[in-house]
Amino acid sequence: MKFTIQLASALAAVAPLVQLAKAGPVLKRDTNITDPQVLNYALTLEHLEAAFYKEGLSNFSAADFAAAGYPDWIYGRLGQIRDHEATHVQFLTTALQTAGAQAVNACTYNFPVSDIKSFVSLAATLESVGSTAYTGGAAFISNKDYLTAAASILTVEGRHTAWINSAILHGAAWDTAFQTPLGLNAVYTLAAQFITSCPDGNAASLPTLTPYPSLTLEGKPGSTGTLTFSAQNNGSLFVAFASGIGAPAFQPIHNDSKVDIPSDLRGYVFAFVTSSNGTLDDSTTVAGPAILDVGFDASGNVV
Ligand SMILES: *[C@@H]1O[C@H](CO)[C@@H](O)[C@H](O)[C@H]1NC(C)=O
Ligand SMILES: *[C@@H]1O[C@H](CO)[C@@H](O)[C@H](O)[C@H]1NC(C)=O
Ligand SMILES: *[C@@H]1O[C@H](CO)[C@@H](O)[C@H](O)[C@H]1NC(C)=O
Ligand SMILES: *[C@@H]1O[C@H](CO)[C@@H](O)[C@H](O)[C@H]1NC(C)=O
Ligand SMILES: *[C@@H]1O[C@H](CO)[C@@H](O)[C@H](O)[C@H]1NC(C)=O
């Protein structure tokens, strides 16, 4: 993929920045990542979201939503989200230009959407990933005004996530008490699957981003899940389940591709295959993240 850039700094792209609770150095900001690079990373995601809603809401009309059984007002609300994402694109582009920096342009995308249901489901995923991206990206921002702007966008992305998951999908509006802060490479791995190609000039404005090998995980908390990944499996690998800001939960992979999924996981959980039984970062990540979307009811039970 054109957008892929060489690996320069392990710290730059620490897998998820989830080890705060271990008081490790994982949240230390890489001073080599500049604010314009972080803003361009955010802009890359905003371009993707803006294109997704623009395309989806021109693919499907208000009448299509009504025919598919959605209440009338859903379409208008999704239009408001589309407009927010377009405004975020405009805002970040202007902020970068005002700072004398190049702003990345939109890429071409390929969204796996075949009907309204898959559109709504992907909207929920993209908003959730956007929220984890801003949460994880905050540590890389130096300028306080940019940090305030990023926080301002983050809460709106978080509310988009909540509204789609609860008002449309009738699930939980949140995951746990904490949003998971994913690192740059982890987010980029998730975003890259929807990106077909990007303008040549974009890469020079971005931090070093290297997607990990892909991973899928089928299964539910409290059961044995099945992993699929293409990286070499030497029989001594683990799965790190990242959720919130505590240390991830590690489980050994057994029977070649099986893992016992901890029973207490809820909401969006990010699973990584690792070579380590206790550290999740670029140097230990073998594949992932896979998103485990654990729906739960008002009593906290998995549904
Ligand atoms: C950061 O940049 C400095 C100076 O350009 C360089 O010496 C150093 O190796 C870089 N650090 C990382 C982690 O890339
Ligand atoms: C829009 O429709 C096209 C053609 O069916 C499809 O390829 C694309 O994925 C759809 N995109 C969205 C976001 O709905
Ligand atoms: C894993 O392998 C062992 C020994 O071959 C077998 O007894 C067990 O049922 C397998 N477990 C799963 C979850 O496949
Ligand atoms: C297995 O592979 C991982 C990642 O490639 C590596 O870090 C680890 O040292 C290997 N372990 C053994 C026992 O070969
Ligand atoms: C992984 O680490 C846990 C404690 O952190 C330990 O109990 C467990 O035995 C380790 N598993 C393997 C396979 O090394």
Side-chain angles (χ1 to χ4, degrees):
M1 176 166 298
K2 239 185 214 164
F3 200 38
T4 305
I5 319 155
Q6 311 78 19
L7 180 70
S9 153
L11 200 54
V14 147
L17 297 158
V18 288
Q19 283 158 327
L20 184 65
K22 291 174 77 185
V26 183
L27 270 176
K28 202 169 81 184
R29 186 161 44 81
D30 182 348
T31 48
N32 286 14
I33 296 188
T34 65
D35 280 352
Q37 286 176 323
V38 187
L39 295 190
N40 271 308
Y41 162 74
L43 179 54
T44 298
L45 301 172
E46 295 290 354
H47 272 306
L48 187 151
E49 288 184 313
F52 169 76
Y53 286 105
K54 187 174 174 215
E55 200 177 290
L57 296 183
S58 67
N59 277 352
F60 307 113
S61 66
D64 293 336
F65 270 76
Y70 294 88
D72 286 357
W73 45 271
I74 295 277
Y75 196 77
R77 292 280 185 219
L78 287 169
Q80 289 172 349
I81 295 181
R82 173 200 56 210
D83 295 347
H84 291 167
E85 308 302 0
T87 302
H88 294 163
V89 167
Q90 194 55 55
F91 173 83
L92 291 170
T93 301
T94 303
L96 282 156
Q97 288 167 348
T98 303
Q102 283 283 325
V104 293
N105 290 303
C107 300
T108 56
Y109 308 97
N110 182 17
F111 299 112
V113 171
S114 50
D115 54 15
I116 291 178
K117 193 163 180 272
S118 56
F119 172 73
V120 169
S121 159
L122 186 53
T125 303
L126 293 181
E127 294 290 352
S128 206
V129 171
S131 300
T132 67
Y134 275 95
T135 307
F140 298 100
I141 300 175
S142 302
N143 178 304
K144 299 286 191 230
D145 293 334
Y146 292 157
L147 191 57
T148 300
S152 171
I153 293 174
L154 166 59
T155 128
V156 175
E157 301 291 354
R159 281 182 274 165
H160 292 167
T161 310
W163 178 75
I164 294 167
N165 278 296
S166 58
I168 309 188
L169 296 173
H170 304 298
W174 42 77
D175 301 319
T176 68
F178 296 97
Q179 185 72 36
T180 306
L182 281 190
L184 277 56
N185 280 341
V187 169
Y188 180 60
T189 302
L190 294 169
Q193 60 186 306
F194 308 117
I195 298 176
T196 313
S197 68
C198 290
D200 284 338
N202 281 10
S205 301
L206 287 162
T208 299
L209 297 169
T210 311
Y212 304 120
S214 68
L215 171 69
T216 62
L217 170 59
E218 297 293 335
K220 288 199 163 200
S223 74
T224 299
T226 302
L227 302 153
T228 312
F229 58 102
S230 54
Q232 202 185 342
N233 182 354
N234 58 16
S236 56
L237 298 176
F238 299 84
V239 175
F241 295 93
S243 164
I245 52 176
F250 288 84
Q251 287 290 334
I253 296 178
H254 61 84
N255 299 53
D256 198 43
S257 63
K258 304 288 182 193
V259 65
D260 298 336
I261 304 175
S263 56
D264 59 350
L265 299 174
R266 296 294 181 273
Y268 276 74
V269 177
F270 300 89
F272 298 75
V273 172
T274 64
S275 57
S276 163
N277 185 21
T279 301
L280 174 59
D281 64 19
D282 275 340
S283 72
T284 62
T285 298
V286 171
I291 297 176
L292 195 61
D293 178 9
V294 184
F296 59 100
D297 66 17
S299 305
N301 297 315
V302 174
V303 293

